């Protein structure tokens, strides 16, 4: 039996204007109509509509994310500012912007908890669809006994612009809770990096015997 697939993305107003709008437009143009997109938005209210596109206001859906952001958004270091010890010079590093990249994680965990699909595919909002996707191939790269599928990078951490979750896996809900607790319980700030690629990597380390 074919497994049901859903696609997830998220964006704010700035990212919508840069790429998110085109992402939605190309999804509508190229993806089969039985595959649904769930767009988790901030600031930019929906303006492109289709039967297989659904909009979720991220902060309303995930109040614990809003609480996390409000508690940390005024801390420059937690928003990616790196301060050099000797000179006091400040630079921005996305690798340490835990506030920004928390939105991606909480969009995915919300969908894991609320979907009735079998497979969830998270795509960054700068992902454009140029041809009709091969659904057989997409299904094949997330076997039914695997929790997630991602692009591995031997010298880096998980590539998270394309990330698949098996929503029917027996650990799926616990997986979502684990990822959220990394943020809500402050574990994130103990990591060497606060970007979501490290969060997903760190979360997977808690499941050493899970595929």
């Amino acid at each position: 039996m074919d497994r049901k697939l859903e696609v997830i993305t998220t964006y704010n107003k700035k990212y919508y204007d840069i790429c998110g709008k085109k992402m939605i437009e190309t999804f509508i143009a190229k993806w089969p109509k039985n595959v649904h997109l769930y767009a988790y938005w901030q600031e930019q209210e929906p303006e492109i509509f289709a039967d297989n596109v659904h909009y979720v206001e991220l902060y309303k859906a995930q109040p614990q994310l809003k609480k996390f952001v409000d508690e940390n958004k005024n801390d420059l270091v937690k928003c990616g500012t790196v301060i050099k010890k000797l000179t006091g010079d400040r630079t921005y590093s996305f690798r340490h912007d835990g506030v920004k990249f928390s939105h991606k994680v909480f969009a995915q965990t919300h969908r894991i908890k609320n979907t009735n699909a079998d497979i969830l595919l998270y795509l960054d909002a700068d992902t454009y669809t140029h041809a009709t996707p091969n659904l057989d191939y997409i299904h094949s790269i997330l076997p039914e006994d695997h929790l997630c599928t991602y692009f591995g990078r031997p010298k880096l951490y998980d590539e998270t612009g394309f990330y698949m979750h098996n929503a029917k896996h027996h650990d799926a809900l616990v997986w979502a809770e684990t990822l959220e607790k990394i943020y809500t319980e402050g574990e994130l700030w103990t990591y060497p990096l606060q970007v979501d690629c490290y969060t997903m990597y760190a979360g997977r380390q808690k499941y050493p015997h899970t595929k």
Side-chain angles (χ1 to χ4, degrees):
M1 183 175 69
D2 287 341
R3 292 184 289 167
K4 182 179 178 181
L5 169 69
E6 289 178 350
V7 178
I8 315 164
T9 196
T10 188
Y11 51 79
N12 59 13
K13 168 64 175 173
K14 179 180 178 180
Y15 214 52
Y16 178 83
D17 291 341
I18 293 171
C19 56
K21 182 177 181 180
K22 185 174 179 180
M23 187 272 188
I24 296 170
E25 290 172 341
T26 61
F27 176 90
I28 293 171
K30 299 296 184 180
W31 281 77
K33 302 308 178 188
N34 64 337
V35 178
H36 289 235
L37 170 67
Y38 284 80
Y40 286 78
W41 61 273
Q42 312 144 58
E43 304 162 349
Q44 173 62 52
E45 295 191 6
E47 62 176 6
I48 303 171
F49 301 99
D51 290 341
N52 62 335
V53 176
H54 311 271
Y55 294 95
V56 181
E57 188 172 355
L58 183 53
Y59 287 155
K60 285 188 177 180
Q62 289 283 55
Q64 69 270 43
L65 168 64
K66 183 65 164 60
K67 182 175 183 291
F68 171 83
V69 171
D70 287 344
E71 289 176 347
N72 296 288
K73 64 184 180 181
N74 295 320
D75 187 323
L76 294 178
V77 173
K78 291 179 178 179
C79 293
T81 298
V82 177
I83 304 173
K84 293 184 178 180
K85 292 182 179 179
L86 294 178
T87 64
D89 292 344
R90 298 180 178 186
T91 58
Y92 172 76
S93 171
F94 73 89
R95 295 176 179 85
H96 298 288
D97 196 341
V99 173
K100 176 180 179 179
F101 289 100
S102 63
H103 298 83
K104 288 176 58 173
V105 176
F106 278 82
Q108 293 173 74
T109 59
H110 183 268
R111 198 77 224 123
I112 292 170
K113 293 178 179 181
N114 290 277
T115 188
N116 62 6
D118 301 282
I119 299 173
L120 300 177
L121 170 58
Y122 174 83
L123 297 176
D124 272 348
D126 60 358
T127 305
Y128 302 154
T129 305
H130 299 280
T132 300
N134 182 336
L135 298 189
D136 289 337
Y137 175 73
I138 292 175
H139 289 172
S140 74
I141 61 175
L142 181 58
E144 292 188 44
D145 62 343
H146 284 53
L147 177 62
C148 56
T149 291
Y150 59 95
F151 290 126
R153 298 182 291 185
K155 296 183 179 180
L156 293 169
Y157 301 102
D158 302 4
E159 164 54 48
T160 53
F162 179 107
Y163 215 98
M164 300 179 71
H165 304 273
N166 180 356
K168 300 301 184 183
H169 193 280
H170 57 83
D171 281 332
L173 295 179
V174 180
W175 166 238
E177 290 287 347
T178 296
L179 293 174
E180 291 181 351
K181 286 181 179 179
I182 289 173
Y183 293 85
T184 60
E185 296 184 357
E187 184 178 336
L188 177 72
W189 310 121
T190 69
Y191 293 165
L193 302 174
Q194 286 71 46
V195 69
D196 62 304
C197 65
Y198 193 91
T199 303
M200 304 299 271
Y201 161 80
R204 288 193 300 100
Q205 305 318 298
K206 299 175 186 288
Y207 299 86
H209 303 297
T210 300
K211 298 178 182 179

